[in-house]
């Protein structure tokens, strides 16, 4: 897989799957615009990418903010003059049921996981049509299977999957491909930021050995390899897929 000659915009690049994807893309030769909330971590990712001799700019900010989304796209185009690949990776998780989730928490999660993607993708689209580029959305196994206790996250990821398929069909005639990856449990900061303490997280990872057919949680590099494949010309005939990268979890049923 090669991304030489490509320019990519990656959101949520300061940590986790976004950071792993940024570093892999730089190794594969892509110039990058990286977007994230934590300035220090974002610069850290950017410098690691620059060590692979690609051109990188960063935009620090919160994607719930419309002007920041507009500024991000503006700076990406201003710096690189074109866009081939958009990786919609930024996202948050929250636990809770209908009883325990407030409307405000639901709105916040939807704003980050869906609304920001809608707006950023809309702004990117003319550039992606020009370049016959592609989009990879980072979804979740919770988009295709249902789990108790994570209502708004699951709803947001199911919406993301349907967005992926609809947009793939809407822009196929323009040769823009749109795909998603659906990771299972991946070792990142996501769950702890979503409210799990250290002990709870350790227990969650231990349980992942039984909830994933391959007997373990995944790591961010395993997801970034799949993102790079879908974003590359090696996947030139693939559009509208929501591809599980989950150690077989999507195929399992309790028994
Ligand atoms: C990436 O950046 C380098 C350095 O500025 C430039 O020479 C190259 O043409 C860029 N590649 C793309 C695909 O824009
Ligand atoms: C993912 O892909 C579609 C196509 O880009 C895009 O419209 C959508 O906004 C992206 N994110 C989501 C939410 O699906």
């Amino acid at each position: 897989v090669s991304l030489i000659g490509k320019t990519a915009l990656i959101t949520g690049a300061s940590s986790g799957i976004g950071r792993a994807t940024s570093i892999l893309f730089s190794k594969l030769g892509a110039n990058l615009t990286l977007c994230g909330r934590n300035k220090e971590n974002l610069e850290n990712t950017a410098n690691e990418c620059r060590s692979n001799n690609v051109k990188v700019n960063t935009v620090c900010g919160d994607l719930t903010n419309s002007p920041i989304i507009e500024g991000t796209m503006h700076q990406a185009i201003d710096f690189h003059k074109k866009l081939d690949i958009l990786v919609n990776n930024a996202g948050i998780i929250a636990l809770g049921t209908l009883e325990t989730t407030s409307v405000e928490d639901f709105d916040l999660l939807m704003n980050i996981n869906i609304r920001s993607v809608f707006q950023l993708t809309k702004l990117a689209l003319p550039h992606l049509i020009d370049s016959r580029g592609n989009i990879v959305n980072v979804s979740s196994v919770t988009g295709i299977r249902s789990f108790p206790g994570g209502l708004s996250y699951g709803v947001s990821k199911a919406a993301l999957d349907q967005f992926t398929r609809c947009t793939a069909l809407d822009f196929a005639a323009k040769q823009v491909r749109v795909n998603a990856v659906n990771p299972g449990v991946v070792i990142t900061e996501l769950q702890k930021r979503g409210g799990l303490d250290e002990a709870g997280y350790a227990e969650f990872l231990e349980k992942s050995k039984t909830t994933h057919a391959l007997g373990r949680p995944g790591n961010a590099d395993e997801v970034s390899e799949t993102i790079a494949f879908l974003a590359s010309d090696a996947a030139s005939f693939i559009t509208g897929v929501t591809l599980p990268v989950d150690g077989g979890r999507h195929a399992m049923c309790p028994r």
Side-chain angles (χ1 to χ4, degrees), residues 173-189:
K174 300 235 160 89
Q175 305 303 316
V176 175
R177 298 183 299 108
V178 186
N179 296 297
V181 292
N182 297 66
V185 173
V186 174
I187 301 171
T188 67
E189 292 296 309

Side-chain angles (χ1 to χ4, degrees), residues 131-178:
S131 65
R132 300 187 160 210
N134 74 87
I135 301 161
V136 182
N137 289 322
V138 179
S139 182
S140 166
V141 67
T142 63
I144 44 184
R145 291 292 179 267
S146 308
F147 300 91
L151 176 72
S152 44
Y153 187 70
V155 169
S156 77
K157 293 302 187 180
L160 185 58
D161 286 354
Q162 194 61 274
F163 263 67
T164 300
R165 290 186 288 263
C166 291
T167 312
L169 297 185
D170 287 339
F171 298 100
K174 300 235 160 89
Q175 305 303 316
V176 175
R177 298 183 299 108
V178 186

